[in-house]
Amino acid sequence: MFLGRIRRSASSPVELVALRDGGLVSLADLGTDDPVALLDSHGLERLTDEVAGRPVVLDEAAVLFEPPVATCTKICCLALNYAAHAEESGMEVPPEPVLFFKPPSSLTGHNRPVEAPARTRHLEHEVELAVVIGRRTRDLPEERWLEAVAGYTVINDMTARDLQLVNIARNVPWDQSKGFDTFAPAGPYLATVDEVPDPQALELVLEVDGEVRQRANTKQMVFGLPRLIADLSDGMTLMPGDLIATGTIAGIAPLQDGDTMRATVQGVGTLVNTVKFRSA
């Protein structure tokens, strides 16, 4: 099942929908716009039956997409989790997962613009598979990793590369270069676990105006999902709606004002966003 959060117009309330037969089924009467909470309260099987009995009432092209999670306390991002990306960045593959955070305020939805602040002139894309946490999780062993997962979505880890490299050279934190508003576009949907039987065998592709910039497979991760969830939950509570961005692949490159990015994760979805430079 693919669950999304949309508005029918800019002034409309957020509404929960499910994708079916190429259109959208409204779930607005179920009392929440939070897909993670709804999965928890109804269960996947019951919710699947609920969606099957409802008519398609909306067109994807006619709605405004919000991020696919209603509540998110943190976006946990993994750096250098693909060897080829570490190589192109001139860095070694880390012996342990390397974590940084994006604030929830950096989230934006499908078909929304990514707006680079005037302080940066060098913006880059980073397509990634994101794990959506479904339950309060702490100290979860690797073999039970799937207990934490509500589903998956696509995330584009936008980066002000000029600001990041300056801070790396100064040996100071570079989170700001990753955390501006709109720098975590995600969606369009939360794909439930039944839609993704093997998250470690998914093709990742990032296109800019039709040109393929990034292409690889999640099987090439340095640290897979069991290790990542066990590592992140070791002493830190993961909350429902939190996102784990599992790292990008080789092929990062600069963007220009007006470029349109298509970030695709096989079986999960295609996230489209256009770049706007405030300096332009």
Side-chain angles (χ1 to χ4, degrees):
M1 185 184 311
F2 295 88
L3 297 170
R5 300 174 63 251
I6 61 97
R7 296 180 191 269
R8 299 192 184 210
S9 69
S11 59
S12 300
V14 178
E15 182 176 341
L16 190 62
V17 296
L19 179 65
R20 200 191 77 215
D21 300 330
L24 300 177
V25 172
S26 176
L27 302 175
D29 62 308
L30 296 183
T32 181
D33 69 355
D34 186 338
V36 176
L38 190 64
L39 284 166
D40 183 60
S41 64
H42 280 60
L44 181 56
E45 185 175 351
R46 177 184 167 195
L47 191 55
T48 300
D49 291 341
E50 183 79 35
V51 170
R54 294 177 177 235
V56 172
V57 294
L58 293 167
D59 184 343
E60 285 182 289
V63 302
L64 303 172
F65 280 87
E66 295 290 329
V69 290
T71 59
C72 178
T73 69
K74 52 191 169 293
I75 306 169
C76 303
C77 303
L78 279 300
L80 307 175
N81 199 31
Y82 288 82
H85 173 56
E87 181 179 355
E88 74 174 348
S89 301
M91 298 182 182
E92 296 182 358
V93 174
E96 302 285 338
V98 175
L99 172 67
F100 64 92
F101 294 97
K102 283 179 180 268
S105 56
S106 65
L107 281 169
T108 192
H110 170 63
N111 279 336
R112 303 281 186 153
V114 169
E115 299 182 357
R119 65 197 303 166
T120 182
R121 299 293 188 273
H122 186 159
L123 189 63
E124 293 189 355
H125 51 74
E126 298 188 11
V127 60
E128 306 190 16
L129 170 68
V131 177
V132 182
I133 297 298
R135 55 176 281 252
R136 186 182 179 99
T137 300
R138 181 170 167 174
D139 300 326
L140 192 68
E142 286 191 38
E143 63 272 16
R144 293 171 51 198
W145 69 275
L146 196 53
E147 295 177 18
V149 180
Y152 307 92
T153 194
V154 185
I155 196 165
N156 192 346
D157 173 19
M158 303 303 301
T159 305
R161 194 70 70 195
D162 48 356
L163 305 183
Q164 183 191 39
L165 292 177
V166 166
N167 284 345
I168 288 174
R170 294 173 56 207
N171 198 29
V172 297
W174 37 263
D175 299 67
Q176 187 182 41
S177 68
K178 299 272 193 174
F180 294 112
D181 290 355
T182 74
F183 270 37
Y189 301 101
L190 183 161
T192 52
V193 291
D194 59 310
E195 298 286 354
V196 188
D198 186 0
Q200 301 289 178
L202 306 176
E203 187 174 70
L204 305 167
V205 179
L206 188 290
E207 300 169 83
V208 176
D209 292 336
E211 174 196 358
V212 175
R213 296 270 190 93
Q214 294 181 280
R215 187 191 296 274
N217 194 285
T218 56
K219 67 184 178 183
Q220 297 167 291
M221 284 185 193
V222 177
F223 304 105
L225 302 191
R227 171 67 185 280
L228 293 179
I229 291 173
D231 184 82
L232 293 174
S233 70
D234 182 6
M236 181 176 71
T237 301
L238 303 175
M239 298 297 293
D242 285 355
L243 298 177
I244 300 174
T246 57
T248 200
I249 58 180
I252 56 174
L255 293 155
Q256 304 297 321
D257 185 66
D259 282 350
T260 296
M261 303 170 291
R262 292 177 57 88
T264 300
V265 178
Q266 179 187 1
V268 177
T270 295
L271 171 69
V272 179
N273 303 94
T274 298
V275 175
K276 290 186 178 181
F277 277 86
R278 194 171 301 171
S279 57

